[in-house]
Amino acid sequence: MKLTTITQVTVAGVARGNGGASEEDRRNGCERGTPASEPSTAREMSMQYLLSVIHDQPSLADAEEQAAIDVFNERLQAEGHWVFAGGLGAPGSATVIDNRGGEALITDGPFLESKEYLAGFWIIDADDLDVALKLAAEGSKACNRKVEVRPFR
C-alpha cells in the first residue's frame, strides 16, 4: 500500500538534518538555542501519534483507495498535521534480526504469523488524542482499512 513519498520535516525530534544542533540539543528534540522546555512554535507543543494501517488481504490499495489516500495526505500537509508516512512491503518481504545473544540470528519472514499485518503508517502532529482519533477515522475511511492510534512517548 503506497501512502506517499517520504518528505523531510522540521518538527522537533523528527527526521531532519542536525542543522548545527549539538548532540545534547538533538537528544532533547530541539534546535540549537531553543530549549526543549520552550518550543519555538505552537505546532511543536502538540503530540505526535503513530497511525498504523492494519490490513488482512494480500492486495494493495486500488486506484480509488489510492486517490482517497492522496487527498487525505494533502489535507494532513495543508493543515499542519503531516510529519511522515509510508507504505510497507508485504509481510513475506520482512527479515527479522535478533541480536540479543552472542550472534545475530537472521530469519526470513514476518516477526509473527497473523492474518492481519501492518500495511503502512502515518506519523502525525495533533493537539490531543481527540484530534488524532478524528484524523485516524478519516484515514481509515480513505484507505479502507483499520487504523490503530498510538501516542509517542
Side-chain angles (χ1 to χ4, degrees):
M1 167 182 212
K2 179 185 171 236
L3 292 178
T4 191
T5 57
I6 298 170
T7 56
Q8 182 125 5
V9 295
T10 58
V11 177
V14 180
R16 64 171 177 215
N18 74 12
S22 71
E23 183 63 32
E24 182 179 358
D25 285 342
R26 286 191 300 279
R27 280 194 308 271
N28 291 329
C30 61
E31 297 285 346
R32 178 170 291 210
T34 306
S37 60
E38 297 178 29
S40 60
T41 67
R43 177 55 59 202
E44 291 177 7
M45 293 172 51
S46 64
M47 292 280 302
Q48 290 185 340
Y49 295 87
L50 172 65
L51 308 183
S52 300
V53 178
I54 310 299
H55 196 35
D56 62 358
Q57 302 293 319
S59 61
L60 298 175
D62 63 29
E64 185 176 324
E65 291 166 341
Q66 189 58 56
I69 292 166
D70 290 342
V71 168
F72 179 68
N73 287 341
E74 290 168 9
R75 181 171 158 242
L76 288 175
Q77 292 170 6
E79 294 178 4
H81 295 292
W82 177 272
V83 176
F84 183 82
L88 300 174
S93 67
T95 302
V96 177
I97 301 161
D98 184 353
N99 197 17
R100 295 177 290 177
E103 186 175 325
L105 175 63
I106 300 173
T107 308
D108 290 336
F111 170 68
L112 63 103
E113 297 293 330
S114 173
K115 182 178 177 188
E116 296 182 322
Y117 64 93
L118 181 63
F121 63 91
W122 287 279
I123 298 174
I124 62 164
D125 272 328
D127 291 334
D128 56 39
L129 180 60
D130 290 336
V131 172
L133 293 174
K134 180 178 181 275
L135 291 169
E138 293 170 16
S140 174
K141 183 172 182 137
C143 68
N144 195 32
R145 286 149 180 73
K146 294 192 290 188
V147 173
E148 175 188 79
V149 178
R150 295 175 73 181
F152 281 93
R153 294 199 238 177

